[in-house]
Amino acid sequence: MEGPGGTVPRVWTKEVAEGEAKASMEEVLARASESSSEVLVMDGDMVFGADHVVSAHYHAAKATAEGRNASYSLAIETLLYASGERQLSSAIRKMAVGDGTRRVVLAVLEGPFEPGEGWSALAPSEGVPDRERLARFGVSDREMSTVGEDRLQELVLERVAAVDVIKK
């Protein structure tokens, strides 16, 4: 799914030891800046496959192109959509890398940045998401009961798309 600028983010993931995620994030951000790339780093526990990030980027780029963006940064706008939240503060709380983060997701939104050793491409879909993770993401039991197991990930993509409606 290309954004209005014709770009599709490249999405990577990396397992880290508890307490090492922030240092990993800072190293990636510094290297990305050196290559004039725009990247987004998120807690992998709240990312449900590369399609989740690609959809968020698409909606963020479209909102920016149409002047409906809540942020001047494509990375922050993508974070807002990825979170399925209306408020940036809620989005950051939900998606930010923290001390307990064990899996980091990196989205290269623009530029030539390559993450290097230890990173692997994130699969488009993770299969059947864990219901507990979906609940932490904000999907209710009632919502989960409306779809079959094979369609649970679609509830996350619906949340991404719904940001256009709830942020008005």
Side-chain angles (χ1 to χ4, degrees), residues 48-142:
F48 296 84
D51 285 349
H52 176 188
V53 179
V54 170
S55 178
H57 174 263
Y58 169 81
H59 287 283
K62 187 171 188 252
T64 300
E66 295 173 357
R68 298 180 291 104
N69 47 311
S71 170
Y72 293 112
S73 160
L74 180 59
I76 297 298
E77 193 73 11
T78 301
L79 180 76
L80 177 69
Y81 278 89
S83 73
E85 298 287 343
R86 179 174 176 254
Q87 297 292 325
L88 285 171
S89 59
S90 298
I92 291 168
R93 254 191 320 277
K94 181 188 280 188
M95 305 299 288
V97 169
D99 292 331
T101 300
R102 299 295 307 266
R103 186 171 65 103
V104 178
V105 169
L106 165 68
V108 180
L109 305 176
E110 294 179 350
F113 183 74
E114 293 294 329
E117 190 174 322
W119 293 87
S120 58
L122 184 62
S125 171
E126 64 174 34
V128 178
D130 177 87
R131 287 176 175 270
E132 183 180 312
R133 278 182 56 223
L134 283 168
R136 284 196 315 270
F137 187 77
V139 178
S140 71
D141 288 336
R142 182 177 178 152

Side-chain angles (χ1 to χ4, degrees), residues 1-74:
M1 178 181 296
E2 288 185 9
T7 61
V8 177
R10 296 181 321 277
V11 187
W12 306 88
T13 186
K14 180 180 184 178
E15 299 290 329
V16 295
E18 192 166 338
E20 292 182 9
K22 285 185 179 180
S24 181
M25 176 184 72
E26 289 170 8
E27 183 263 333
V28 162
L29 292 175
R31 288 184 40 238
S33 178
E34 290 170 5
S35 71
S36 299
S37 298
E38 186 165 11
V39 300
L40 172 60
V41 181
M42 297 174 281
D43 182 341
D45 202 36
M46 290 292 102
V47 176
F48 296 84
D51 285 349
H52 176 188
V53 179
V54 170
S55 178
H57 174 263
Y58 169 81
H59 287 283
K62 187 171 188 252
T64 300
E66 295 173 357
R68 298 180 291 104
N69 47 311
S71 170
Y72 293 112
S73 160
L74 180 59

